[in-house]
Amino acid sequence: MVITKIDARQLKDMFIAGAKRLDSRKDEINELNVFPVPDGDTGTNMTMTIMSAVKEVEATDEPTMENLAKAISQGALRGARGNSGVILSQLFRGFTRAVKKFDCIDKTCAPDAFKRASETAYKAVMKPKEGTILTVARGMSEKAQDIFEATDDMAEALRQIIEYGNYMLSLTPEMLPVLKQAGVVDSGGKGLMTILEGAYDKLMGVETDEEREEEPQEELPAYGYCTEFILMMDRPMTGKEEKEWKDYLSSIGDTLVCAADKNIVKVHVHTDNPGLVLEEALKHGSLSSIKVENMKEEHHETLFEDSEKLSRLQKEEEENKEKQQQAPPKDVGFIAVAMGSGLKEIFEGLGVDFVVEGGQTMNPSTADILDAVEKVNARTVYVMPNNKNIILAAQQAVELCSDKHVIVIPSKNVPQGIAAVIKYCEGMSDEDNTEAMTEGMAAVKSAQVTFAVRDTTIDDKQVHQGDIMGISDAGLAAVGRNLDQTVLDTIATMTDSDSEIITIYYGSDVKEEDAQALQAMVMDKYTGCDVELHKGGQPIYYYIISVE
């Protein structure tokens, strides 16, 4: 089948199909994470990014190339999560800029669209690294220039481009030794190819599993009435009678429970015919404590209560926003990203105005950070992402914010973020404070301790599923089966003769007394250091450690 052009309607369908393909395979992509931590999130981040764009795309009832390009670009930019999501959003941004003025995509604009997609994504990353999604995108861009010189068949061209993209993906382990050692290809590149393959299948009319899935429906109770009563039997039932009775109740309902004590039976069943249930029970004795409840009515009442709660929260937020708008803005405000009640309290205690819930286990989107900036009533807002996978999303928020001066301090973890806030000095210029905060966080060594979800090799260390891992700024610092010993081994790689303070933040899965016992061990080993212990409350990671 020869296809010489792709119109806006086709592009819309292809984009949605690619997003659905990614969504269905995000777990496979998550598993390609180099570090076998329980929160590998590339597939999830890319899916949430593209699904944000899908919402905008689906709202375009009469798609043109221009309004579709705007929906894809703006939806992806605002919904971008994690480095992979931001890069994906920039690929869409470059591609849509090249096609938005055309009525359709054909060989006249397609080569430039691929080229601008790759170039825009590369420009968004301060230090582009080969062997990543960027490499795969660039390879397809270069291939597109040659292919469209030889054919005007969009279907054939896309087939060859995708084939070459998968070839480039297969080479990523040779470009990044860490991928080769872990035995995986680049997860971001895999996500990109998954999207394109889904889009191509849609163009070719291939029905996929994703398309066959029905739209999720509101989950209502299967039967309308929860029926409960106590049956006082005239005589014990025979085995045959008991089976026939239960079979009958099961034929007109479900969730059947019959709890018997001699001749007294407590019955619970969901049914659309409570009268028939009671009538049948009366054949075996007398009834008491009868209770019949309309479950569908309860379900709708719950939905109504949820709706009321949401409306109340929205009203409160609007009122708070109105109060903020009425109050004069202060000069400087602070935003930090953190996960865990303890870490939130620590940042708030240091004067941070708003803590965005997120971190390694859940990367907030560009829109989440923009919303936080909106809530902070200040002319200048400092943002501490506290995770290397959130820095790009924060920087993208800066580009999209026009009414405030937003400064991103590129903190890669919570200890760096804390150090940066402490280094802020009122009265200094933004430039001087940015320099001081950046220098302050650079002086902090940090590590996180969690468990491995699969076998692999990292930094020449064998890791087995269930092992405890200490991951420092430099990479995999320690591996072991004992949590306390692995923490001690990790700290040993971070300390030297200049070390003065060791700070330990314990997570939600660690008991306070266990954390205190670990603190005592660290104090015994490092007598020349102050050892501080704080409740972080972070999930997934048993401990976050900093050394200064």
Side-chain angles (χ1 to χ4, degrees):
M1 178 171 62
V2 176
I3 301 173
T4 57
K5 62 183 180 180
I6 297 171
D7 62 26
R9 172 62 66 179
Q10 288 173 302
L11 181 62
K12 176 181 178 179
D13 292 342
M14 290 169 67
F15 184 80
I16 294 171
K20 287 182 178 179
R21 177 69 59 86
L22 178 66
D23 185 35
S24 71
R25 301 185 182 177
K26 60 180 179 290
D27 291 338
E28 299 172 27
I29 296 166
N30 285 340
E31 290 174 5
L32 296 176
N33 193 36
V34 170
F35 280 97
V37 293
D39 59 348
D41 52 9
T42 299
T44 301
N45 282 339
M46 294 183 76
T47 297
M48 296 182 79
T49 298
I50 198 171
M51 284 304 179
S52 175
V54 165
K55 287 182 182 179
E56 301 288 333
V57 167
E58 288 180 332
T60 57
D61 295 329
E62 298 295 333
T64 64
M65 203 60 74
E66 187 167 5
N67 66 25
L68 196 59
K70 182 179 179 182
I72 292 172
S73 179
Q74 291 190 355
L77 286 172
R78 291 184 62 84
R81 295 174 188 265
N83 293 341
S84 56
V86 172
I87 292 171
L88 181 64
S89 73
Q90 292 294 331
L91 287 168
F92 291 146
R93 185 184 199 179
F95 189 92
T96 54
R97 277 180 175 175
V99 302
K100 66 181 181 181
K101 296 300 181 184
F102 292 83
D103 293 330
C104 63
I105 300 174
D106 58 19
K107 69 176 295 180
T108 61
C109 64
D112 185 48
F114 276 95
K115 183 179 179 181
R116 291 184 69 175
S118 175
E119 289 177 348
T120 304
Y122 264 90
K123 288 177 183 177
V125 181
M126 188 171 295
K127 295 180 180 179
K129 186 182 292 186
E130 296 304 327
T132 66
I133 181 175
L134 293 170
T135 305
V136 176
R138 193 192 69 239
M140 288 190 290
S141 166
E142 292 170 350
K143 189 69 173 178
Q145 311 311 307
D146 297 333
I147 290 174
F148 283 109
E149 286 185 3
T151 182
D152 60 358
D153 184 351
M154 293 295 297
E156 175 59 19
L158 287 176
R159 185 193 68 77
Q160 291 185 42
I161 291 168
I162 290 171
E163 184 179 86
Y164 191 75
N166 279 318
Y167 168 70
M168 292 299 296
L169 178 64
S170 71
L171 297 182
T172 56
E174 303 303 321
M175 303 177 199
L176 273 180
V178 68
L179 293 176
K180 188 170 187 178
Q181 195 171 48
V184 296
V185 295
D186 177 66
S187 54
K190 179 64 176 177
L192 177 60
M193 297 315 303
T194 301
I195 295 168
L196 292 177
E197 287 164 354
Y200 175 75
D201 282 349
K202 183 64 178 179
L203 177 67
M204 301 306 295
V206 177
E207 188 181 20
T208 64
D209 291 340
E210 299 90 42
E211 288 184 309
R212 284 190 283 269
E213 290 179 0
E214 293 183 2
E215 290 293 320
Q217 301 293 320
E218 181 184 349
E219 196 170 317
L220 292 171
Y223 291 94
Y225 299 92
C226 176
T227 306
E228 295 181 12
F229 56 89
I230 292 176
L231 169 63
M232 291 165 286
M233 292 187 293
D234 297 333
R235 59 175 178 79
M237 292 185 189
T238 64
K240 181 181 178 184
E241 287 174 329
E242 181 180 355
K243 183 178 185 304
E244 288 175 348
W245 186 52
K246 288 183 177 180
D247 286 346
Y248 174 74
L249 293 182
S250 297
S251 72
I252 60 171
D254 66 6
T255 322
L256 174 63
V257 177
C258 295
D261 182 12
K262 297 183 180 178
N263 287 355
I264 299 175
V265 183
K266 184 172 183 179
V267 179
H268 170 281
V269 64
H270 293 174
T271 181
D272 284 333
N273 299 286
L276 293 178
V277 173
L278 298 176
E279 185 179 336
E280 184 68 21
L282 283 169
K283 295 177 183 179
H284 301 281
S286 58
L287 308 180
S288 68
S289 302
I290 300 171
K291 184 170 73 172
V292 178
E293 294 181 344
N294 187 326
M295 293 190 296
K296 292 183 180 179
E297 186 176 280
E298 286 183 351
H299 175 77
H300 289 300
E301 284 177 0
T302 301
L303 291 179
F304 180 72
E305 289 172 2
D306 289 344
S307 177
E308 278 193 324
K309 182 179 179 182
L310 180 60
S311 298
R312 187 170 63 253
L313 290 172
Q314 287 174 338
K315 185 179 179 181
E316 289 175 1
E317 187 170 333
E318 287 172 5
E319 288 174 352
N320 290 335
K321 186 176 180 181
E322 190 175 335
K323 288 178 183 177
Q324 283 197 346
Q325 289 173 343
Q326 291 172 354
K330 57 183 182 177
D331 290 332
V332 177
F334 299 91
I335 293 171
V337 180
M339 180 75 85
S341 58
L343 296 178
K344 183 174 185 289
E345 288 177 9
I346 289 169
F347 277 112
E348 289 175 341
L350 292 171
V352 170
D353 299 273
F354 193 90
V355 178
V356 179
E357 187 175 354
Q360 190 65 27
T361 55
M362 183 183 72
N363 297 153
S365 67
T366 296
D368 291 333
I369 297 171
L370 276 170
D371 289 343
V373 171
E374 181 75 18
K375 290 174 182 174
V376 176
N377 190 22
R379 297 183 185 89
T380 298
V381 180
Y382 287 88
V383 179
M384 274 67 66
N386 299 333
N387 188 288
K388 65 181 182 180
N389 209 31
I390 302 174
I391 294 172
L392 280 181
Q395 290 171 339
Q396 190 153 279
V398 174
E399 292 182 28
L400 298 177
C401 184
S402 58
D403 59 343
K404 294 181 182 179
H405 183 206
V406 182
I407 300 171
V408 176
I409 305 297
S411 51
K412 295 181 180 178
N413 49 60
V414 164
Q416 286 188 356
I418 291 172
V421 176
I422 291 172
K423 285 293 183 179
Y424 174 81
C425 183
E426 190 174 351
M428 291 203 322
S429 67
D430 293 339
E431 293 77 11
D432 288 342
N433 264 315
T434 299
E435 184 178 349
M437 294 168 78
T438 304
E439 288 178 356
M441 72 180 193
V444 177
K445 297 176 184 177
S446 62
Q448 301 176 84
V449 180
T450 186
F451 60 93
V453 294
R454 69 170 189 273
D455 295 351
T456 190
T457 302
I458 303 173
D459 298 337
D460 296 322
K461 295 182 178 71
Q462 292 292 322
V463 179
H464 301 286
Q465 183 177 349
D467 280 354
I468 306 298
M469 301 183 297
I471 305 169
S472 71
D473 302 330
L476 185 60
V479 182
R481 302 299 291 186
N482 179 273
L483 176 57
D484 289 345
Q485 187 57 52
T486 304
V487 173
L488 292 173
D489 292 344
T490 301
I491 293 174
T493 68
M494 302 164 66
T495 52
D496 55 34
S497 58
D498 295 327
S499 301
E500 297 177 349
I501 303 172
I502 300 173
T503 307
I504 302 169
Y505 305 89
Y506 63 93
S508 58
D509 294 327
V510 177
K511 295 178 181 178
E512 183 177 3
E513 55 266 32
D514 293 338
Q516 289 172 340
L518 174 65
Q519 179 190 22
M521 284 187 273
V522 177
M523 291 173 69
D524 286 343
K525 186 171 181 180
Y526 300 95
T527 55
C529 293
D530 291 331
V531 181
E532 298 179 1
L533 180 68
H534 299 281
K535 179 183 178 181
Q538 70 275 3
I540 306 295
Y541 290 83
Y542 301 118
Y543 293 102
I544 296 173
I545 306 157
S546 70
V547 175
E548 301 173 63

